[in-house]
DNA sequence: TTGTAATATTCGAATATTCATATATTATGG
DNA sequence: CCATAATATATGAATATTCGAATATTACAA
């Protein structure tokens, strides 16, 4: 694990927080979370939605599990994953607002982002 | 930069988001942001508050700058840093709530976290 | 049992991050 | 211009992360 190195000279609480953010800091893991915001999903379903190999998905899920971001519940041969805390959805929303401000000006990403935003609005 | 590797097979928007979270994913950077939530700070001030060497602080500030999390404004010989978007404070707050839920049970970190929480409350 | 579908783990090479030391840069006062 | 204080950057060794391939585990059905 990173950050466990001596000399860091910063409180354990910040180390803990950093580990949490680090758990989100990967494109595949972000995509997985965006799936789970909608509802629970099996590994298969995530795999299909993202178009990735099964081991990759399981690996990234295991990072999210290790950091208590998601929980896996066995259902027969399947494992159904959910967000451990629904506040993660809020976190992603605040992040989205920040990106939205930040990207004002850079066109391509902005269009994608606003598409996401419209989808969120119409879901309310 | 990470994540630019071929084969990632995930949209650029998620890569961008991941980079943002990665910018937060370090204990020193978290501490710096927690300082900046209160008000703008010079490098010196941050350095003093965290008890770290100057180059370390500048290095981490440069990561935050590169990811548009903070902005540095020259003021004579000093450089005053601020959050680029005040929503970062909200983001840290939501994160704090998540940690609070998550740590219910593990005592030491929880006490620290609740101390932070009380401080925030009384500042309102 | 044995087979099989679903998921998880292990391993290693490529790549990225971290942190400390040393060295630049920049702005200002004298 | 020169010295100096404040900040930034370069370098490199130690460490961590990533991803794909191979392998393991698990639960159920036949």
């Amino acid at each position: 694990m990173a950050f466990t190195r001596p000399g860091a000279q910063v409180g354990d609480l910040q180390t803990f927080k950093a580990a949490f953010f680090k758990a989100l800091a990967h494109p595949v893991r972000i995509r997985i979370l965006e799936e789970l915001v909608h509802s629970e999903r099996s590994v298969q379903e995530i795999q299909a939605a993202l178009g990735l190999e099964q081991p990759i998905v399981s690996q990234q899920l295991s990072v999210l599990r290790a950091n208590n971001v998601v929980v896996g519940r066995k259902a027969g041969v399947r494992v159904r994953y959910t967000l451990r805390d629904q506040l993660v959805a809020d976190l992603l929303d605040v992040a989205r607002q920040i990106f939205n401000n930040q990207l004002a000006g850079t066109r391509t990403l902005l269009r994608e982002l606003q598409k996401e935003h419209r989808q969120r609005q119409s879901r309310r």
Side-chain angles (χ1 to χ4, degrees), chain A:
Chain A
M1 161 93 74
F3 305 149
T4 326
R5 208 169 306 155
Q9 212 61 318
V10 177
D12 274 337
L13 184 51
Q14 277 76 32
T15 300
F16 182 80
K17 290 176 181 179
F20 176 79
F21 283 118
K22 187 185 278 201
L24 308 185
H26 189 284
V28 170
R29 295 197 292 265
I30 298 269
R31 285 287 281 120
I32 291 176
L33 292 176
E34 287 175 347
E35 283 297 317
L36 296 183
V37 161
H38 300 325
S39 85
E40 68 168 20
R41 293 273 195 273
S42 69
V43 177
Q44 272 193 319
E45 288 168 336
I46 296 170
Q47 198 185 329
L50 309 202
L52 295 172
E53 296 298 312
Q54 178 269 319
I56 301 287
V57 173
S58 274
Q59 277 169 357
Q60 302 303 339
L61 280 170
S62 113
V63 174
L64 292 171
R65 238 187 303 123
N67 287 279
N68 286 312
V69 184
V70 305
V71 198
R73 208 178 312 288
K74 282 211 136 132
V77 200
R78 314 279 170 83
V79 178
R80 315 214 50 101
Y81 279 91
T82 51
L83 297 184
R84 167 175 278 250
D85 189 328
Q86 279 302 124
L87 281 174
V88 170
D90 296 29
L91 194 80
L92 292 176
D93 267 3
V94 177
R96 200 192 321 275
Q97 287 180 256
I98 294 174
F99 303 139
N100 209 5
N101 296 345
Q102 193 169 143
L103 290 177
T106 96
R107 285 298 141 207
T108 314
L109 284 178
L110 188 59
R111 250 193 312 272
E112 272 192 73
L113 194 60
Q114 286 174 345
K115 194 170 60 189
E116 279 187 4
H117 194 253
R118 277 195 303 278
Q119 284 166 359
R120 273 186 47 250
Q121 296 291 347
S122 62
R123 210 176 297 120
R124 313 210 142 194

